[in-house]
Every structure is written in C-alpha cells, then in structure tokens.
Amino acid sequence: MVPTGEHRRLYLFRNTLTLDATRYDLLNEDDLFKSSKLGRNLYVVPNSDLRGYYGLPEMLERPRLRLNARRQLLDFYGYGPYFVSARAREHLLSVDPSAFEFVECETVGAKGEALEAYWMMDIARLVMNFDEQASEFITYAERNPEAPDTTTNPLISELIDIRLMAGFPDDHRAFRFSRYIRCFVADEILVDGWIKAGLRGAQFTPLQRPTAAEMKRRSRYIIPTTWYRRLQAERP
C-alpha cells in the first residue's frame, strides 16, 4: 500500500500526435463490434445519472488491423480501444497484469503482407475516487459555467496535480478515473519502463509538477499549459 501522504507520480498515457500515429486502419470495424466500440463494462459516474464504459467492447470476430509505416512501426496506436505491439503488450503485462485486456489482431502491412501480430488493448481497471481535497483539477462545470448541464455533469475536464487515496494498492499501476474519460492513467514505474524499453508511439502528461528532465524531453512529455506557465513565472 502507498503510505498516507506519499505522492505517487502519475501520467496521462496517450498516443503521439504525429503522422506515424495515424497510419493504421481497423479493416473490419463495421462488422467487428457487437453493438458499439464502447467497453463492455458499464458503470454509473458518481453523483450523477451519467453512464460510462471501460474495457474492451464485445466483438463478433477477430480484429483485422492494417499498419502503414511511414518510417517505422510504432508500439502504440489509437484512442481507445488501442493497438499495441507484442513488445508493448509484454511490458504492460509484466508491470500490471490485471490492468489490461487484450485481443490478438490479424495484422497486415500496407500491401497486405502479414506482420507480427498486434493486440487490441484497453484498460480493465476503473478507479472511482481519488483524494480530491489534496488534488488540483478542473471540472466540466468550472470550464463551462454557462452550459445548461453544469449542475448535473460531474465530469472532470483537466487533471493537474493528482493524489491517490491513502491505501491505494501499490501494484495498481494503470487505470481509468471514473470522472475523467479522455485517457488512461499510468504511474512512473510503467512509464519509466516503457521509455527504457525503447517503446514508441506514446507520450505522457505529468499529473504533478513536471521535473526538469520532463520539461526538456518534449518529444516524450506533454507539459500542460497550467504547469508550463507556473514554471515560466518562477524563472528569475
């Protein structure tokens, strides 16, 4: 367990914003999903009537994935469900085997040639709460004060400095927050291991004060505007 007061470093895990990251196609998308691309696990967002979904969707057949490398294949594609290489899958399973769901894809290249299989992936762990009193974030209502649903929509628009609840299991290294639906969250062990393994295709947004090294490695880390301005203001 994480001791009370200990700040585990967390990151949003997202695909790189490059042309390479867009060069994939799910060839049988129209026939693949039983009802929708939404995950098959349903939950109700706390303090609302909103419903959310997580995990892989129900599928009727094996996914068929085409990858068209401009320079080289990446290890991570997509916005959820995601597509990961065998090496990426091995790393994720080695760090947190219960956090992910995978389905093997029939994988081909731009000319239809067979490639080493990639895997459709999504997060299978949902975290309902974090320490909101000790954290900093912006809600949907704060960002959209004139919207008609501000009193009924509890979703979070931006995570800035996030603290987990005391007692959060230290082997839970990847998860989704129930009120933040854009990306999944990974901790420093998973992220550092991804970088050290030389895996490609992902960038990471620090959910706490960025380090000097993270500020310099802009190809790996997406520094939120909030933190960038604060750090700029601190310079002499």
Side-chain angles (χ1 to χ4, degrees), residues 4-67:
T4 300
E6 182 174 331
H7 191 183
R8 184 190 299 193
R9 295 188 65 82
L10 301 173
Y11 300 84
L12 294 179
F13 197 111
R14 61 180 73 193
N15 63 333
T16 56
L17 301 178
T18 65
L19 288 176
D20 291 300
T22 66
R23 299 173 75 86
Y24 71 95
D25 296 287
L26 187 56
L27 298 176
N28 59 338
E29 183 170 359
D30 291 342
D31 302 315
L32 177 61
F33 301 112
K34 184 174 181 180
S35 56
S36 75
K37 290 176 63 175
L38 298 174
R40 68 179 182 276
N41 301 306
L42 169 68
Y43 70 97
V44 177
V45 178
N47 302 315
S48 77
D49 295 326
L50 295 178
R51 295 184 176 187
Y53 301 84
Y54 67 99
L56 285 175
E58 293 184 279
M59 288 174 272
L60 299 173
E61 58 190 47
R62 184 182 181 188
R64 290 190 285 117
L65 179 67
R66 180 172 62 203
L67 300 175

Coordinates of all heavy atoms in Angstrom, one line a residue, residues 4-67:
T4 N 0.2 7.0 3.7 CA -0.5 8.2 3.7 C 0.4 9.4 3.4 O 1.5 9.5 4.1 CB -1.3 8.4 5.0 OG1 -2.2 7.3 5.2 CG2 -2.0 9.7 5.0
G5 N 0.1 10.3 2.5 CA 0.9 11.4 2.2 C 1.9 11.2 1.1 O 2.5 12.2 0.6
E6 N 2.2 10.0 0.8 CA 3.2 9.7 -0.3 C 2.6 10.1 -1.6 O 1.4 9.7 -1.9 CB 3.6 8.3 -0.3 CG 4.7 8.0 -1.4 CD 5.2 6.6 -1.3 OE1 5.2 6.0 -0.1 OE2 5.6 6.0 -2.3
H7 N 3.3 10.8 -2.5 CA 2.8 11.3 -3.7 C 3.3 10.4 -4.9 O 4.5 10.5 -5.3 CB 3.2 12.7 -3.9 CG 2.5 13.4 -5.1 ND1 2.7 14.7 -5.5 CD2 1.5 12.9 -5.9 CE1 2.0 15.0 -6.5 NE2 1.3 13.9 -6.8
R8 N 2.5 9.5 -5.3 CA 3.0 8.6 -6.5 C 2.9 9.5 -7.7 O 1.9 10.1 -8.0 CB 2.1 7.4 -6.6 CG 2.6 6.5 -7.7 CD 1.6 5.4 -8.0 NE 1.3 4.5 -6.8 CZ 0.7 3.4 -6.9 NH1 0.2 2.9 -8.1 NH2 0.5 2.6 -5.8
R9 N 3.9 9.5 -8.5 CA 3.9 10.2 -9.8 C 3.1 9.5 -10.8 O 3.2 8.3 -11.1 CB 5.4 10.4 -10.3 CG 6.2 11.3 -9.4 CD 7.6 11.6 -10.0 NE 7.4 12.5 -11.2 CZ 7.2 13.8 -11.1 NH1 7.2 14.4 -9.9 NH2 7.1 14.5 -12.2
L10 N 2.1 10.3 -11.4 CA 1.2 9.8 -12.3 C 1.3 10.5 -13.6 O 1.7 11.7 -13.7 CB -0.3 9.9 -11.8 CG -0.5 9.2 -10.4 CD1 -1.9 9.6 -9.9 CD2 -0.4 7.7 -10.6
Y11 N 0.8 9.9 -14.7 CA 0.9 10.4 -16.0 C -0.4 10.0 -16.8 O -0.8 8.9 -16.7 CB 2.1 10.0 -16.8 CG 3.4 10.3 -16.1 CD1 3.9 9.5 -15.1 CD2 4.1 11.5 -16.5 CE1 5.1 9.8 -14.5 CE2 5.3 11.8 -15.8 CZ 5.8 11.0 -14.8 OH 6.9 11.3 -14.2
L12 N -0.9 10.9 -17.7 CA -1.8 10.5 -18.7 C -1.0 9.8 -19.8 O 0.1 10.3 -20.2 CB -2.5 11.7 -19.3 CG -3.5 12.5 -18.4 CD1 -4.1 13.6 -19.1 CD2 -4.5 11.6 -17.8
F13 N -1.5 8.7 -20.3 CA -0.9 7.9 -21.3 C -1.6 8.1 -22.6 O -2.8 7.7 -22.7 CB -0.9 6.4 -20.8 CG 0.0 5.5 -21.5 CD1 1.1 4.9 -20.9 CD2 -0.2 5.2 -22.9 CE1 1.9 4.0 -21.5 CE2 0.7 4.3 -23.5 CZ 1.7 3.7 -22.8
R14 N -1.0 8.7 -23.6 CA -1.7 9.0 -24.8 C -0.8 8.7 -26.0 O 0.4 8.6 -25.9 CB -2.2 10.4 -24.8 CG -1.1 11.4 -24.7 CD -1.7 12.9 -24.7 NE -2.3 13.2 -23.4 CZ -3.1 14.2 -23.3 NH1 -3.3 15.1 -24.3 NH2 -3.6 14.5 -22.1
N15 N -1.4 8.6 -27.2 CA -0.7 8.4 -28.4 C 0.0 9.7 -28.8 O -0.4 10.8 -28.6 CB -1.5 7.9 -29.5 CG -2.6 8.8 -30.0 OD1 -3.1 9.6 -29.2 ND2 -3.0 8.7 -31.2
T16 N 1.1 9.5 -29.6 CA 1.9 10.7 -30.1 C 1.1 11.4 -31.1 O 0.3 10.8 -31.9 CB 3.2 10.3 -30.7 OG1 3.0 9.3 -31.7 CG2 4.1 9.7 -29.6
L17 N 1.2 12.7 -31.2 CA 0.5 13.5 -32.2 C 1.4 13.7 -33.4 O 1.9 14.8 -33.7 CB 0.1 14.8 -31.6 CG -0.8 14.8 -30.3 CD1 -1.1 16.1 -29.8 CD2 -2.1 14.0 -30.6
T18 N 1.6 12.6 -34.2 CA 2.4 12.6 -35.4 C 1.7 11.9 -36.5 O 0.7 11.1 -36.3 CB 3.7 11.9 -35.1 OG1 3.5 10.5 -34.9 CG2 4.5 12.5 -33.9
L19 N 2.1 12.1 -37.7 CA 1.5 11.4 -38.8 C 1.7 9.8 -38.7 O 0.8 9.1 -39.1 CB 2.2 11.8 -40.1 CG 1.8 13.2 -40.6 CD1 2.6 13.6 -41.9 CD2 0.3 13.3 -40.9
D20 N 2.8 9.4 -38.1 CA 3.0 8.0 -38.0 C 1.9 7.4 -37.1 O 1.5 6.2 -37.4 CB 4.4 7.7 -37.3 CG 5.6 8.0 -38.2 OD1 5.7 7.4 -39.2 OD2 6.4 8.9 -37.8
A21 N 1.5 8.1 -36.1 CA 0.5 7.6 -35.2 C -0.9 7.4 -35.8 O -1.8 6.8 -35.2 CB 0.4 8.4 -33.9
T22 N -1.1 8.0 -37.0 CA -2.4 7.9 -37.6 C -2.5 6.8 -38.7 O -3.5 6.6 -39.3 CB -2.8 9.3 -38.3 OG1 -1.9 9.5 -39.3 CG2 -2.7 10.4 -37.3
R23 N -1.4 6.2 -39.0 CA -1.3 5.3 -40.1 C -1.7 3.8 -39.7 O -0.9 2.9 -39.7 CB 0.1 5.3 -40.7 CG 0.4 6.8 -41.2 CD 1.9 6.9 -41.7 NE 2.1 6.3 -43.0 CZ 1.8 6.9 -44.2 NH1 1.4 8.1 -44.2 NH2 2.1 6.2 -45.3
Y24 N -2.9 3.7 -39.3 CA -3.5 2.4 -39.0 C -5.0 2.4 -39.4 O -5.6 3.4 -39.5 CB -3.3 2.1 -37.5 CG -4.2 2.9 -36.6 CD1 -5.5 2.4 -36.2 CD2 -3.8 4.1 -36.2 CE1 -6.3 3.1 -35.4 CE2 -4.7 4.9 -35.4 CZ -5.9 4.4 -35.0 OH -6.7 5.1 -34.1
D25 N -5.5 1.2 -39.8 CA -6.9 1.0 -40.1 C -7.4 -0.3 -39.5 O -6.7 -1.3 -39.7 CB -7.0 1.0 -41.7 CG -6.6 2.3 -42.3 OD1 -7.4 3.3 -42.2 OD2 -5.6 2.3 -43.0
L26 N -8.6 -0.2 -38.9 CA -9.2 -1.4 -38.5 C -10.2 -1.8 -39.6 O -11.2 -1.2 -39.9 CB -10.0 -1.1 -37.2 CG -10.7 -2.3 -36.5 CD1 -9.7 -3.3 -36.1 CD2 -11.4 -1.8 -35.3
L27 N -9.7 -2.9 -40.4 CA -10.3 -3.2 -41.6 C -11.8 -3.7 -41.5 O -12.6 -3.5 -42.4 CB -9.5 -4.2 -42.4 CG -8.0 -3.7 -42.7 CD1 -7.2 -4.8 -43.3 CD2 -8.1 -2.5 -43.6
N28 N -12.1 -4.4 -40.4 CA -13.4 -5.0 -40.3 C -14.2 -4.3 -39.2 O -15.1 -4.9 -38.6 CB -13.3 -6.5 -40.0 CG -12.5 -6.8 -38.7 OD1 -11.7 -6.0 -38.3 ND2 -12.8 -8.0 -38.2
E29 N -14.0 -3.0 -39.1 CA -14.7 -2.2 -38.0 C -16.2 -2.3 -38.1 O -16.9 -2.4 -37.1 CB -14.2 -0.8 -38.0 CG -14.9 0.1 -36.9 CD -14.2 1.5 -36.8 OE1 -13.3 1.8 -37.6 OE2 -14.6 2.2 -36.0
D30 N -16.7 -2.3 -39.3 CA -18.2 -2.3 -39.5 C -18.8 -3.6 -39.1 O -20.0 -3.6 -38.7 CB -18.5 -2.0 -41.0 CG -18.2 -0.6 -41.4 OD1 -18.1 0.3 -40.5 OD2 -18.1 -0.3 -42.6
D31 N -18.1 -4.7 -39.1 CA -18.6 -6.0 -38.7 C -18.1 -6.5 -37.4 O -18.6 -7.6 -36.9 CB -18.2 -7.0 -39.8 CG -18.7 -6.6 -41.2 OD1 -19.9 -6.2 -41.3 OD2 -18.0 -6.7 -42.2
L32 N -17.1 -5.8 -36.8 CA -16.4 -6.4 -35.7 C -17.2 -6.3 -34.4 O -17.3 -7.3 -33.6 CB -15.1 -5.6 -35.5 CG -14.2 -6.0 -34.3 CD1 -13.8 -7.5 -34.4 CD2 -13.0 -5.1 -34.3
F33 N -17.8 -5.1 -34.1 CA -18.3 -4.9 -32.7 C -19.8 -5.3 -32.7 O -20.6 -5.1 -33.6 CB -18.2 -3.4 -32.4 CG -16.8 -2.9 -32.4 CD1 -16.3 -2.0 -33.3 CD2 -15.9 -3.4 -31.4 CE1 -15.0 -1.5 -33.3 CE2 -14.6 -2.9 -31.4 CZ -14.1 -2.0 -32.4
K34 N -20.1 -5.9 -31.6 CA -21.5 -6.5 -31.4 C -22.5 -5.4 -31.4 O -23.6 -5.5 -32.0 CB -21.5 -7.3 -30.1 CG -22.9 -7.9 -29.9 CD -22.8 -8.8 -28.6 CE -24.2 -9.5 -28.4 NZ -24.2 -10.4 -27.2
S35 N -22.2 -4.2 -30.6 CA -23.1 -3.1 -30.6 C -22.5 -1.8 -30.8 O -23.0 -1.0 -31.5 CB -23.9 -3.1 -29.3 OG -23.0 -3.1 -28.2
S36 N -21.3 -1.6 -30.2 CA -20.6 -0.3 -30.3 C -19.1 -0.5 -29.9 O -18.7 -1.6 -29.5 CB -21.2 0.8 -29.4 OG -20.9 0.6 -28.1
K37 N -18.3 0.5 -30.1 CA -16.9 0.5 -29.7 C -16.7 0.7 -28.2 O -15.6 0.7 -27.7 CB -16.1 1.5 -30.5 CG -16.0 1.2 -32.0 CD -15.3 2.3 -32.7 CE -13.9 2.5 -32.2 NZ -13.1 3.5 -33.0
L38 N -17.8 1.0 -27.5 CA -17.7 1.3 -26.1 C -17.3 0.0 -25.3 O -17.7 -1.1 -25.7 CB -19.0 1.9 -25.5 CG -19.4 3.2 -26.1 CD1 -20.8 3.6 -25.6 CD2 -18.4 4.3 -25.8
G39 N -16.6 0.1 -24.2 CA -16.3 -1.0 -23.4 C -17.5 -1.8 -22.9 O -18.6 -1.2 -22.7
R40 N -17.3 -3.0 -22.7 CA -18.5 -3.9 -22.2 C -18.8 -3.7 -20.8 O -19.8 -4.2 -20.3 CB -18.2 -5.3 -22.6 CG -17.1 -6.0 -21.8 CD -17.0 -7.4 -22.1 NE -15.9 -8.1 -21.3 CZ -14.6 -8.1 -21.6 NH1 -14.2 -7.4 -22.7 NH2 -13.8 -8.7 -20.9
N41 N -18.0 -3.0 -20.0 CA -18.2 -2.9 -18.6 C -18.9 -1.5 -18.3 O -18.3 -0.4 -18.6 CB -16.9 -2.9 -17.8 CG -16.1 -4.2 -18.0 OD1 -16.7 -5.3 -17.8 ND2 -14.9 -4.2 -18.5
L42 N -20.1 -1.6 -17.8 CA -20.9 -0.4 -17.5 C -20.7 0.1 -16.1 O -20.7 -0.7 -15.2 CB -22.3 -0.7 -17.8 CG -23.4 0.4 -17.4 CD1 -23.2 1.6 -18.2 CD2 -24.8 -0.2 -17.5
Y43 N -20.6 1.4 -15.9 CA -20.7 1.9 -14.5 C -21.4 3.3 -14.5 O -21.6 3.9 -15.6 CB -19.2 2.2 -14.0 CG -18.5 3.3 -14.7 CD1 -18.4 4.6 -14.1 CD2 -17.8 3.1 -15.8 CE1 -17.8 5.6 -14.7 CE2 -17.1 4.1 -16.5 CZ -17.1 5.4 -15.9 OH -16.4 6.4 -16.5
V44 N -21.9 3.7 -13.4 CA -22.5 5.0 -13.2 C -21.5 6.0 -12.6 O -20.9 5.7 -11.6 CB -23.8 4.8 -12.3 CG1 -24.4 6.2 -12.1 CG2 -24.8 3.9 -13.0
V45 N -21.4 7.1 -13.3 CA -20.5 8.1 -12.8 C -21.0 8.6 -11.4 O -22.2 8.9 -11.2 CB -20.4 9.3 -13.7 CG1 -19.5 10.4 -13.2 CG2 -19.9 8.8 -15.1
P46 N -20.1 8.7 -10.4 CA -20.5 9.1 -9.0 C -21.3 10.4 -9.0 O -20.9 11.4 -9.8 CB -19.2 9.2 -8.3 CG -18.3 8.2 -9.0 CD -18.7 8.3 -10.4
N47 N -22.3 10.5 -8.2 CA -23.1 11.7 -8.0 C -23.8 12.2 -9.3 O -23.9 13.4 -9.5 CB -22.2 12.8 -7.4 CG -21.6 12.4 -6.1 OD1 -22.2 11.9 -5.3 ND2 -20.3 12.7 -6.0
S48 N -24.2 11.3 -10.1 CA -24.9 11.7 -11.4 C -25.7 10.5 -11.9 O -25.6 9.4 -11.4 CB -23.9 12.1 -12.4 OG -23.2 11.0 -13.0
D49 N -26.4 10.7 -13.0 CA -27.0 9.7 -13.7 C -26.3 9.3 -15.0 O -26.8 8.5 -15.8 CB -28.5 10.1 -14.1 CG -29.4 10.3 -12.9 OD1 -29.2 9.6 -11.9 OD2 -30.2 11.2 -13.0
L50 N -25.1 9.8 -15.2 CA -24.3 9.6 -16.4 C -23.7 8.1 -16.3 O -23.3 7.7 -15.2 CB -23.1 10.5 -16.5 CG -23.5 12.0 -16.7 CD1 -22.2 12.9 -16.7 CD2 -24.3 12.2 -18.0
R51 N -23.7 7.5 -17.4 CA -23.1 6.2 -17.5 C -21.8 6.2 -18.3 O -21.6 7.0 -19.2 CB -24.1 5.2 -18.3 CG -25.4 5.0 -17.5 CD -26.2 4.0 -18.2 NE -27.4 3.6 -17.4 CZ -28.3 2.7 -17.8 NH1 -28.1 2.0 -18.9 NH2 -29.4 2.4 -17.0
G52 N -20.9 5.4 -17.9 CA -19.6 5.2 -18.6 C -19.3 3.8 -18.8 O -20.0 2.9 -18.3
Y53 N -18.3 3.6 -19.7 CA -17.9 2.2 -20.1 C -16.4 2.1 -20.1 O -15.7 3.1 -20.3 CB -18.4 1.9 -21.5 CG -19.9 2.0 -21.6 CD1 -20.6 3.2 -21.8 CD2 -20.8 0.9 -21.5 CE1 -21.9 3.4 -22.0 CE2 -22.1 1.0 -21.6 CZ -22.7 2.2 -21.8 OH -24.1 2.3 -21.9
Y54 N -15.9 0.9 -19.8 CA -14.5 0.7 -19.8 C -14.2 -0.8 -20.2 O -15.1 -1.6 -20.2 CB -13.8 1.1 -18.5 CG -14.2 0.1 -17.3 CD1 -13.3 -0.9 -16.9 CD2 -15.3 0.3 -16.6 CE1 -13.6 -1.7 -15.9 CE2 -15.7 -0.5 -15.5 CZ -14.8 -1.5 -15.2 OH -15.2 -2.3 -14.1
G55 N -12.9 -1.0 -20.5 CA -12.6 -2.4 -21.0 C -12.8 -2.5 -22.5 O -13.3 -1.6 -23.2
L56 N -12.5 -3.6 -23.1 CA -12.7 -3.9 -24.5 C -14.2 -4.1 -24.8 O -15.0 -4.6 -23.9 CB -11.9 -5.1 -24.9 CG -10.4 -4.9 -25.1 CD1 -9.8 -6.3 -25.4 CD2 -10.1 -3.9 -26.1
P57 N -14.7 -3.7 -25.9 CA -16.1 -3.9 -26.3 C -16.3 -5.4 -26.7 O -15.3 -6.2 -26.9 CB -16.2 -3.0 -27.6 CG -14.9 -2.9 -28.1 CD -13.9 -2.9 -27.0
E58 N -17.5 -5.8 -26.7 CA -17.9 -7.1 -27.2 C -17.7 -7.2 -28.7 O -18.1 -6.3 -29.4 CB -19.3 -7.4 -26.9 CG -19.6 -7.6 -25.4 CD -21.0 -8.0 -25.1 OE1 -21.9 -7.1 -25.1 OE2 -21.2 -9.2 -24.9
M59 N -17.0 -8.3 -29.2 CA -16.7 -8.4 -30.6 C -17.3 -9.7 -31.2 O -17.4 -10.7 -30.5 CB -15.2 -8.3 -30.8 CG -14.6 -6.9 -30.6 SD -12.8 -6.9 -30.6 CE -12.5 -7.2 -28.9
L60 N -17.6 -9.6 -32.5 CA -18.1 -10.8 -33.1 C -17.1 -11.6 -33.9 O -17.4 -12.7 -34.3 CB -19.2 -10.3 -34.1 CG -20.4 -9.5 -33.5 CD1 -21.3 -9.0 -34.6 CD2 -21.2 -10.5 -32.6
E61 N -15.9 -11.0 -34.1 CA -14.9 -11.8 -34.8 C -13.5 -11.2 -34.4 O -13.5 -10.3 -33.6 CB -15.1 -11.6 -36.3 CG -15.1 -10.2 -36.9 CD -15.6 -10.1 -38.3 OE1 -16.6 -10.8 -38.7 OE2 -14.9 -9.4 -39.1
R62 N -12.5 -11.7 -35.0 CA -11.1 -11.3 -34.7 C -10.9 -10.0 -35.4 O -11.2 -9.8 -36.6 CB -10.1 -12.3 -35.2 CG -8.7 -12.1 -34.8 CD -7.8 -13.2 -35.4 NE -6.4 -12.9 -35.1 CZ -5.4 -13.7 -35.6 NH1 -5.7 -14.7 -36.5 NH2 -4.2 -13.4 -35.3
P63 N -10.3 -9.0 -34.7 CA -10.0 -7.7 -35.4 C -8.9 -7.9 -36.5 O -8.0 -8.7 -36.3 CB -9.4 -6.9 -34.2 CG -9.8 -7.5 -33.0 CD -9.9 -9.0 -33.3
R64 N -9.1 -7.2 -37.6 CA -8.1 -7.2 -38.7 C -7.5 -5.8 -38.8 O -8.3 -4.8 -39.1 CB -8.8 -7.6 -40.0 CG -9.2 -9.1 -39.9 CD -9.6 -9.6 -41.3 NE -10.9 -9.2 -41.7 CZ -11.2 -8.4 -42.7 NH1 -10.2 -7.9 -43.4 NH2 -12.5 -8.0 -42.9
L65 N -6.3 -5.7 -38.5 CA -5.6 -4.4 -38.4 C -4.6 -4.2 -39.5 O -3.8 -5.1 -39.8 CB -4.9 -4.3 -37.1 CG -4.1 -3.0 -36.8 CD1 -5.0 -1.8 -36.6 CD2 -3.2 -3.2 -35.5
R66 N -4.6 -3.1 -40.2 CA -3.6 -2.8 -41.2 C -2.7 -1.6 -40.7 O -3.2 -0.6 -40.3 CB -4.2 -2.4 -42.5 CG -3.2 -2.0 -43.6 CD -3.9 -1.8 -45.0 NE -4.9 -0.7 -44.9 CZ -5.9 -0.6 -45.8 NH1 -6.1 -1.5 -46.7 NH2 -6.7 0.5 -45.6
L67 N -1.4 -1.8 -40.8 CA -0.5 -0.8 -40.4 C 0.4 -0.3 -41.6 O 0.9 -1.2 -42.3 CB 0.5 -1.3 -39.3 CG -0.2 -1.8 -38.0 CD1 0.8 -2.4 -37.1 CD2 -0.9 -0.6 -37.3

